[in-house]
Amino acid sequence: MLRLPCRLQREDGEDAIMADKELDDPAALGPALDEVHAALGHELARALEEIALDLQGRMQRYPPALPSKSGYVRTGTLGRGWHVSPVGMGDMITLGNPVSYAPYVQGPTDIQARRMAARGWQSVTVVLQGMTTIIAERIAAAIQRAFDGIKNR
């Protein structure tokens, strides 16, 4: 009998995720590892897509409009421009906005115009930093789902 333990630890040293796969035949190790790899790949790709769509939704939100003396009315073009695209085998997703002024309004902190940040527009950097806990929780849940699926086979 071969036992394949899988453990992830939190920063405080506590076990966060545990799963064991018992194999009657050591020759089954290769297929068992393939099963772990496939399950993790599927669940992580799913989590990555959920994270990307959440980020996209957050980037599409506008701050409250300031009173305008010029009569300017927001068109929503910037918000509609945010999109996610899978890359390769789904192990990477890009977030982009083809609107020419997007980098200056909501781009990375080092590109965003200070005036836009002062008006309440969050940069993609700030939004991602605010999502770190959510991202970690979703990744951990995906890993747990993968291990649970393997344990139950």
Side-chain angles (χ1 to χ4, degrees), residues 24-75:
D24 293 328
D25 179 7
L29 180 59
L33 290 175
D34 290 342
E35 182 183 8
V36 169
H37 182 261
L40 282 172
H42 170 75
E43 292 297 342
L44 289 173
R46 190 173 124 197
L48 186 58
E49 183 177 10
E50 290 171 3
I51 291 164
L53 290 172
D54 188 1
L55 175 60
Q56 176 186 3
R58 290 167 190 251
M59 294 306 297
Q60 290 174 328
R61 292 186 200 132
Y62 284 29
L66 298 175
S68 173
K69 294 176 186 170
S70 69
Y72 169 76
V73 177
R74 289 180 172 169
T75 63

Side-chain angles (χ1 to χ4, degrees), residues 73-118:
V73 177
R74 289 180 172 169
T75 63
T77 301
L78 179 64
R80 284 190 308 274
W82 289 105
H83 63 277
V84 294
S85 303
V87 176
M89 302 295 288
D91 56 347
M92 186 166 66
I93 294 179
T94 61
L95 172 75
N97 192 325
V99 175
S100 62
Y101 52 86
Y104 308 108
V105 179
Q106 291 183 290
T109 305
D110 59 338
I111 297 173
Q112 182 188 35
R114 279 186 238 132
R115 167 174 93 218
M116 293 297 137

Side-chain angles (χ1 to χ4, degrees), residues 108-128:
T109 305
D110 59 338
I111 297 173
Q112 182 188 35
R114 279 186 238 132
R115 167 174 93 218
M116 293 297 137
R119 291 182 179 172
W121 290 94
Q122 289 193 326
S123 72
V124 69
T125 308
V126 169
V127 173
L128 270 171

